[in-house]
Structure formats: structure tokens, C-alpha cells
């Protein structure tokens, strides 16, 4: 460890004494995020900068002193990507939470990283626009969304964070400030640093501003719910539904157990008769939106007809209130799983047609080790959210490893939208092609030569393996 | 220059003697692309590999011998990005031109880099799908499209190449082969090497396979043409049109001179009376497509009404044949400009609301130096295609530099979709933030430590400045 004399003084000189907390003065919520079964890790310093200049000065000082830096948005991550390093520095963006510009001519917003999705949703609604990426947690910060390349339910139509961030301001590990991209929707002038930084989980640069693309807000929407005998039929229906051109913005599957849990938690009554419920092993939820009511009705009809021919046991169109409750309950599936005692949540992604095969194998692996996996997921994207029930950390870790390996063999990846964080990084380092790991390490070196930015994440050293 | 003894033998051992040409045996078309006013540059070697293994072996050998490598698709680039280095090696993908897979369950295609947009268009049409990126030149290769992050007219609705490439196989400057991404539409597991390679113009890695996203093909389409008194009104109309939610897939402006040129070249009669033509300084072309005829008609009506209230002098809906001819003529604007004697074509991008300001300044700069700039562009994207008329290379270069500087000051970039190539790289190096140039150089180093991949492009050395 480098010489830390005077580091605290330097920090308070930059952000002011009121915005620096040291050691045990730092509240425990800064020591973790929402990842399950992960021990909190007390940081050495917490700073709450006010602007990019302060962020740059803090990182320059940390780089000089060799102090690891973890950027923190609202702490709603699920992979412990915002868990500090022991004796490290937490850079909290809670005070950099302004929507700097809402540009209705270019249809973009310029935001600071601490802005939450909820605030952006509210402000864009006022001008008839929308930022359509919707990871479900409205308390999540835009900075965190950029760092994890957050996805969510609407990705099947609108894409993920990556497709909606046009430009960034960011601070490298050296403290240098860059701007990449901007308001134009297309650029072909040098390497796309914006795209490289998105999803890099705070390991390449610390994002201090993002320019995001907005689009017209569609005001008519409806939800179609279809129980199926099994998941194979659901997944067979998905490409056929999409081929119709109907373009749903939500296309979720929910397994029978998870449906039970979320409807119970949400006190949701969908009026599904017992006979149907008993026969249904999987549900498909289709969200539709349009600018015109008659087109929406036409789409509902088309989807209903199609699902009928594709084996749905029944097709329901819940009324506005229940539809809203259902989507909200699905969004809160993580909390239902947590309440039910789940020990981990994974967000593995595979080519969507491989979902049934993946899930069959995952269940086999779980059963063999006495574990349980249940869940739901983005059927249109091949992205599952599995709650893993296995108290024994070693058995759980072995199951996770095997599930990740199966997914990768099927052409998938460890994480579709939560990021690797500190919890999934060890599996990534074990399972990913060493040539790519070496290349990524060289890229990391290009941005952060002293390896101070979130060093346990993505390319964490073997010593930081928490397993 | 390194020791080149035996290099030719090594190459013919890899690709076979029939697929290697040396020195003056290499036809002149391999010495350039379609960039205007750029001198052909005879390469030392031309190889036509058959598979990724051969590509990797060739690059390993080139790396060993320090021979620069330029990847070549169909040679339709407009920035001389495929112009070989003097005494360098051209890696032509003309034999790696297979569509390896057309996956109708996952809605993706896996293609070799030599596949043309025309072939992909034909094959996807057979299964009711479409690769919606449409740079206009159907002879362009997918490999070239990936390298330049090609855009085109449909980007306003569907985005550019970057949004449609899910995975790549690529060979680094060391000859190492990597696979990044794949069929899933979202991944958050390590740095996105796919996105970094897209648009890197063959300087980081040579792409040997691409997995691209397809979508349902919409069969109903129409074109609306609206003359306006000036470009300000066109650009004022654009965000209002988009806010309606009508989602045009084409939104082009064409200035009066260019309209004259392309309608003349295409022998196109649009039935626009002289009085209207005389009053029109700018045209807006709106392309609409839908899966249902009545929705298409509804959209045409809405667009017509809106444009009327937004100042259009008149609104025309050409019949199918003329609409097709108009779009085709717009696509071929480059050839019209070339035929008219243009000395360069630029594809500057700015935030779309800044287009009128940019064009006014560009015309001022041109007039001051006795040059001419006319053109058309993607009004929805802020991306202009200006034909530059100025015979004197020094005056032309000064004008280009000043236009690029103005665009960057307005928050734009030198190239929206053609790439920097060898022609725009010197301006980029002069005008871009040195911190970013240094960072990009370190990234380049991570992929290509001996700097053999297209070394004059993006980060070309000052000696390679052709100005």
C-alpha cells in the first residue's frame, strides 16, 4: 500500500469537509449493494463530489496514492459491482443528480450519473418523450445503468442501455477527463469510447455525464397473458409472434412457481380458473403499446389469435389496473425471490431459442446438487432471472459455475444485464477465453494504468475471488 | 522494413499459389476504393484467403515480418479506408462470401465478411426477414459495413450497423483469433469487444465473421415528398414529425441543386409544377413502412397533414414506380455528384437541430474560398452528404478542415458513416482531443502491438498525411 499521509486532507480540500467521511464514520449502506449473500466491505473513504472537476481531482489523488476507487450510483446493483474494496474509496454520485438538459429538438437528455430512472421518467413524460430502457428499479441511477449496460423488460422492442447512450463525459484512471460521442445518433470517427465504457462497470473510467436518446412516448398500452402447458411451447411461440411484425415491448416468461410467488406478494387476482392454473407450467406476458387506440386493439386481437394457434391454454387481457399490477409484480420478482429466501439471483443470457434446453439443463444440475432454481425472464431476449436456492456456499458456487458453463456452450453469457460485479467475476475469469481476458487486461491498462478503478470487477485478481 | 525473405513463400503456403498475387501482377482495382481524388497505391501482396485459419496465419506472418495489412471487402468505401499501404498486403475477402446461417428462430444471420448487402437482402427476403441497415450501395460487403459502422437512409428508424451486429469473429494484429458476443441481443459480461471493433476500420482486428440481427420485413411502404421554401423549415419539421410517433424509416433532405441533378440523372419526372420548383430551396423525403395497408394509409395522411401545417409548399405521394426511382436516385447521389465533377464527398454529422446553422456556415466558408458545396443528407440523423467542388487541393483541404472544425464545435463529428479512412484521418488527428488520441493509440496497441493493421487510418502517423 502506498503512502497515505495527507490523502484525507487532499480529499477534503477537493470536496469540502462536509462531503468526506472516513473509516467507521461511513454508513454501512455504502459498504454493499443489493446483491444477495455478499458481505459488506467497509471502505476507507467516502466522497460525494459536486462536479466533474472534483471527480477528476479525487481520481488523480487516488491514482497518486494507489487507492482503489469504486463509483456508486444508488446502490441497487445485483452483482456487488458497487461493493468497495477493503480500504478503498467510494465515489458517490448522490449530489451529481441533475438533468442538465432536456432537448426536445434533438430528442436527447443530458444527465448527471446520480439522476434516477424515476426522475428521468417523470421529466420526459412532461414533454411527451420517454427514455425507454426500463430495468424495473426506478430508483436505479443512470450512471449505474450505463456501467452495467442495464436492460430490462422493454429491451425486446427498444434495446438496452447501450442502444440509448449517445455520449459520455468520463474520467480515466489517471484523472484525465474525456468527452466521447454527443447528441448525434451516428458517428464513425475513431474508436467508439462511449460503447467501450458502457457496461465496463466502472473499471475503465468513471462516468460523470451521459447524453441519452429519447423517443416519442406512446400513450396506449395493454398486456396479454397466456398460460402454456410448458416452456417449450412458450419459446416456440416467441419468434412466430415477433415475425408477425406486431413488435411487443414486453415479452416475458414466468414459470408456475414464480407466478404463484409474485401474484401472492402483489395480492394480484387474475381470474385464472384452477383447471387452467393446474395445467400451466409457464406463462407468456406480452406488452403492447401504440400511439392509437384502434391499432392497439388490432394488435391485441392479432396476438390473441396467434397465441391461440400456438398452443396457449387460454388468452387473458387483464384490465388496466390488473395489467399494471402484473407488470409491477414481475418487476419486483427479485424481491419476491429474496423474501422467499433465495441465496442468489442469476441473469444468464442465451440465444432465445436455446432457453428451453438451457433451463432443462439448469434444473438437472440444480436437482443433482439438491438445489432449487425457479424464475422468470425476458423470453424475447433469451435472458433468464433464476432464483437459486442453496444454502451451502460451495454447492451454490459449483452450481453457478456449471450453469454459466452450460450457457456459454450454448452461445450465451454469464450476465445479460446485471454485470459481473464482484460476485460473477471469478466465474468469468475461469470460463472466458484467456486470449480475450488478456486483451481486456491490456484495454484496462490503456484506461487505468495503475489499476485503481474497481479492480476486483471483470478482471479481478485471483486473490479477490470471494468464493 | 523488416526482412522479407520468404514472405511470399509463406503466403502461398497458406492460401495456395492461385490466391496470392505479388507486386505489379495485382490489378489496379485493389489499389484504391471509391474515394474521389485519391491516388491509387500499389500493394506488395494480395491474398484471397478461404477461411479464418488462413486469415490468422497470414496476419501472423505479416506481424512477424512487419508488413502492413489492409482488409478489403468490395472496395465501395468513400474514405480510402481500403487503400493499401505502399508495399503492404491486401487481404481480400472476395472468397469468404458465404451466408453461414440464416436462423429464423433467433432472427439472426451469420455471415462471412465478403457477403454483400444485396445477397443478404435477397436471402432474408425469402424468409420474410430483413437486415434493415441500408447504406444504399448493395454491392457493399458486410465486412466493410462493420468496419465503417455504415449507416444509410433507414438509420432514422432502425439505427446503424452498430445496433445490428451482435457478435464477431476477428483476428487481432498478433494473429490471435477471438469470438465476441454471439446470438444473444444483450450481454453484460466484460468489455464489449464487438462494439469496439465495429467502426474501427480494420485497425484493431480483421473481422472474419459477423452475427447480425434480423427483423420482420414490413411489406407495405410509401414515400412522401415535400418541397419547402428553405432548409430551416425542413429541420423545424423533423422533430415534430418524429414526435407524432409515426416512425418514418426514411427522413431525407435534398437541396434544390441536388434534386435537379438526381432527377435529371435518373430521368425522373415527379410532376412538380415550375412555380413550386422555383420556390423550393429544400425537399423533405419521408419513407413510411408498415405491415398493414390501412395503417400505412393512416400514416401517409398524418404525415401529409403535419407537413402542411409545418410549412410545406405542397405534399406529393409519388406512385410506387416513381417513389422507388426517387429513393434510388437519392441513393445514387454520390454518383451524380461524381459525374458533375465533385472533388470530394463529406459525410459530416451534427446534432440534427444544428444542421441549418452548420450548412449556412459551410456555404459561407465555401463561398469565401471560391468553392461550392451542395448536397443532401439524413435529416433525421443530422448527417449531411456534401459534394465539394474545388479543384485546388490546398484550398479544398483548408475548406474541409474548417467545415470539420465547425461541425465539431457544434457537437458533431467528421464522419457519420463513411469512416475516416486515409482521407479524413489527418483532420481527425489535428482536430480531436489529444487525450483521446493518446487513449485510442493505447487501445490500438492492445490489439495490434506492432501496428500492422491499416496503420494510416484513424491513428495514422503524420508522415502518412496525404494533404
Amino acid at each position: 500500500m502506498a503512502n497515505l499521509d495527507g490523502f484525507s486532507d487532499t480529499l477534503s480540500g477537493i470536496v469540502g469537509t462536509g462531503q468526506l467521511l472516513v473509516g467507521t464514520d461511513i454508513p454501512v449502506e455504502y459498504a454493499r449493494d443489493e446483491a444477495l449473500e455478499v458481505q459488506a466491505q467497509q471502505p476507507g473513504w467516502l466522497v460525494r463530489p459536486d462536479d466533474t472537476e472534483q471527480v477528476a481531482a479525487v481520481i488523480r489523488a487516488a491514482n497518486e496514492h494507489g487507492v482503489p476507487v469504486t463509483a456508486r450510483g444508488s446502490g441497487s446493483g445485483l452483482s456487488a459491482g458497487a461493493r468497495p474494496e477493503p480500504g478503498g474509496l467510494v465515489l458517490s454520485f448522490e449530489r451529481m443528480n441533475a438533468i442538465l438538459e432536456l432537448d426536445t429538438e434533438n430528442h436527447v437528455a443530458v444527465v448527471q450519473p446520480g439522476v434516477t430512472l424515476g426522475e428521468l421518467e417523470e421529466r420526459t413524460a412532461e414533454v411527451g418523450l420517454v427514455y425507454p430502457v426500463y430495468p424495473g428499479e426506478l430508483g436505479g441511477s443512470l450512471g449505474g445503468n450505463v456501467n452495467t449496460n442495464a436492460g430490462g423488460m422493454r429491451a425486446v422492442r427498444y434495446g438496452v442501455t447501450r442502444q440509448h447512450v449517445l455520449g459520455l463525459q468520463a474520467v480515466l484512471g489517471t484523472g484525465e477527463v474525456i468527452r466521447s460521442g454527443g447528441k448525434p445518433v451516428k458517428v464513425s470517427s475513431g474508436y467508439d469510447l462511449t460503447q467501450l465504457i458502457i457496461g465496463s462497470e466502472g473499471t475503465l473510467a468513471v462516468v460523470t455525464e451521459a447524453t441519452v436518446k429519447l423517443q416519442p412516448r406512446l400513450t396506449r398500452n395493454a398486456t396479454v397473458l397466456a398460460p402454456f402447458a410448458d416452456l417449450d411451447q412458450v419459446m416456440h411461440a416467441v419468434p412466430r409472434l415477433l415475425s408477425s411484425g406486431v413488435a411487443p415491448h414486453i415479452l416475458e416468461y414466468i414459470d408456475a412457481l414464480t407466478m404463484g410467488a409474485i401474484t401472492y406478494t402483489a395480492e394480484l387476482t387474475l381470474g385464472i380458473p384452477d383447471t387452467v392454473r393446474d395445467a400451466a407450467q409457464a406463462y407468456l406476458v406480452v406488452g403492447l403499446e401504440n400511439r392509437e387506440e384502434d391499432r392497439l386493439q388490432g394488435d391485441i386481437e392479432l396476438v390473441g389469435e396467434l397465441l391461440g394457434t400456438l398452443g396457449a391454454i387460454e388468452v387473458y387481457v387483464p384490465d388496466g389496473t390488473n395489467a399494471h399490477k402484473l407488470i409491477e409484480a414481475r418487476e419486483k420478482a427479485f424481491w419476491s425471490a429474496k423474501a422467499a429466501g433465495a441465496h442468489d439471483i442469476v441473469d444468464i443470457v442465451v440465444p432465445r431459442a436455446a432457453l428451453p434446453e438451457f433451463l432443462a439443463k439448469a434444473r438437472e444440475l440444480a436437482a443433482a446438487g439438491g438445489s432449487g432454481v425457479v424464475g422468470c425472464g425476458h423470453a424475447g431476449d433469451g435472458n433468464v432471472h433464476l432464483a437459486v436456492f442453496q444454502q451451502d456456499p460451495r454447492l451454490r458456487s459449483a452450481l453457478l459455475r456449471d450453469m454459466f458453463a452450460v450457457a456459454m456452450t450454448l452461445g450465451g453469457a454469464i450476465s445479460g444485464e446485471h454485470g459481473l460485479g464482484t460476485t460473477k467475476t471469478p466465474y468469468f475469469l475461469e470460463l472466458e477465453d484467456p486470449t480475450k481476458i488478456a486483451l481486456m487486461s491490456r484495454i484496462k491498462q490503456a484506461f487505468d494504468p495503475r489499476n485503481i478503478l474497481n479492480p476486483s470487477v471483470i478482471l479481478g485478481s485471483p486473490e479477490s475471488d470471494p468464493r
Side-chain angles (χ1 to χ4, degrees), chain A:
Chain A
M1 184 63 77
N3 180 5
L4 290 174
D5 287 357
F7 185 54
S8 296
D9 290 345
T10 305
L11 293 178
S12 65
I14 296 164
V15 294
T17 44
Q19 306 305 335
L20 167 70
L21 292 176
V22 181
T24 49
D25 284 353
I26 303 170
V28 69
E29 62 255 35
Y30 291 99
R32 62 187 312 280
D33 61 11
E34 292 293 348
L36 300 175
E37 304 285 316
V38 175
Q39 287 247 277
Q41 195 139 261
Q42 193 68 14
W45 295 269
L46 165 70
V47 294
R48 294 183 287 230
D50 194 40
D51 58 24
T52 302
E53 219 169 279
Q54 290 187 4
V55 174
V58 166
I59 292 179
R60 265 197 306 275
N63 190 44
E64 211 169 286
H65 288 85
V67 174
V69 173
T70 299
R72 183 182 181 86
S74 61
S76 61
L78 296 174
S79 301
R83 188 172 77 141
E85 297 289 316
L89 182 147
V90 173
L91 201 55
S92 170
F93 282 103
E94 60 205 276
R95 294 171 69 224
M96 287 176 68
N97 62 352
I99 296 175
L100 300 174
E101 196 185 347
L102 201 55
D103 175 343
T104 55
E105 290 294 309
N106 289 301
H107 289 177
V108 299
V110 182
V111 302
Q112 288 188 312
V115 170
T116 64
L117 288 166
E119 290 164 300
L120 187 58
E121 166 71 8
E122 206 171 293
R123 287 285 302 283
T124 53
E126 290 165 10
V127 292
L129 296 172
V130 67
Y131 175 70
V133 185
Y134 203 70
E137 174 54 59
L138 283 172
S141 71
L142 266 294
N145 273 248
V146 170
N147 273 328
T148 56
N149 186 25
M153 282 202 267
R154 297 183 189 162
V156 64
R157 176 158 173 178
Y158 298 116
V160 297
T161 303
R162 185 173 295 293
Q163 278 95 45
H164 296 272
V165 175
L166 300 175
L168 294 174
Q169 185 191 53
V171 182
L172 311 187
T174 53
E176 293 167 294
V177 181
I178 60 164
R179 278 193 177 277
S180 66
K183 291 183 177 179
V185 292
K186 68 209 280 200
V187 170
S188 183
S189 305
Y191 307 146
D192 198 321
L193 303 173
T194 307
Q195 289 294 329
L196 182 53
I197 292 170
I198 295 170
S200 69
E201 305 191 46
T203 65
L204 295 181
V206 170
V207 172
T208 51
E209 190 187 296
T211 301
V212 300
K213 204 165 95 173
L214 306 174
Q215 58 191 49
R217 186 176 285 262
L218 304 177
T219 50
R220 311 288 168 177
N221 60 72
T223 304
V224 177
L225 174 68
F228 281 81
D230 59 47
L231 186 75
D232 275 40
Q233 289 188 36
V234 171
M235 293 315 300
H236 176 78
V238 164
R240 280 143 199 93
L241 199 61
L242 290 171
S243 291
S244 72
V246 77
H249 70 293
I250 293 176
L251 202 51
E252 296 287 305
Y253 91 87
I254 305 178
D255 71 19
L257 257 172
T258 305
M259 190 57 140
I262 67 173
T263 51
Y264 175 78
T265 310
E267 297 182 1
L268 179 63
T269 42
L270 291 165
I272 301 177
D274 288 355
T275 48
V276 172
R277 198 158 40 204
D278 291 348
Q281 280 307 307
Y283 293 80
L284 182 64
V285 180
V286 184
L288 298 169
E289 60 180 20
N290 210 298
R291 69 175 203 270
E292 285 182 11
E293 186 60 31
D294 62 334
R295 293 188 184 197
L296 178 67
Q297 293 303 328
D299 285 354
I300 294 171
E301 233 166 85
L302 177 62
V303 167
E305 276 167 32
L306 263 171
L307 291 179
T309 65
L310 291 166
I313 302 172
E314 206 32 277
V315 177
Y316 302 96
V317 185
D319 64 34
T321 314
N322 278 308
H324 183 78
K325 271 187 167 179
L326 172 64
I327 297 298
E328 206 177 55
R330 162 60 193 89
E331 272 164 14
K332 295 198 181 338
F334 166 72
W335 301 104
S336 302
K338 187 176 175 179
H343 301 99
D344 207 342
I345 301 282
V346 296
D347 71 314
I348 289 168
V349 65
V350 292
R352 70 171 179 234
L355 251 190
E357 186 181 348
F358 169 74
L359 285 172
K361 286 192 175 156
R363 285 203 194 93
E364 248 173 62
L365 289 167
S371 312
V373 288
V374 299
C376 50
H378 310 306
D381 305 336
N383 188 199
V384 295
H385 292 297
L386 288 180
V388 178
F389 295 85
Q390 172 55 265
Q391 205 164 0
D392 183 298
R394 282 190 47 203
L395 286 175
R396 189 166 71 236
S397 173
L399 171 61
L400 257 52
R401 188 218 164 273
D402 291 346
M403 289 200 299
F404 295 146
V406 166
M408 288 172 77
T409 307
L410 291 170
I414 291 174
S415 169
E417 54 190 22
H418 295 169
L420 298 171
T422 51
T423 59
K424 310 296 189 290
T425 289
Y427 304 97
F428 177 70
L429 292 174
E430 182 185 340
L431 298 169
E432 184 52 277
D433 173 9
T435 304
K436 280 163 70 181
I437 299 283
L439 174 60
M440 289 183 194
S441 298
R442 295 193 298 271
I443 294 170
K444 162 84 165 160
Q445 174 86 12
F447 281 81
D448 177 26
R450 289 197 67 180
N451 193 27
I452 61 160
L453 298 180
N454 227 4
S456 298
V457 173
I458 297 181
L459 296 165
S461 52
E463 309 91 71
S464 64
D465 190 338
R467 295 181 297 179

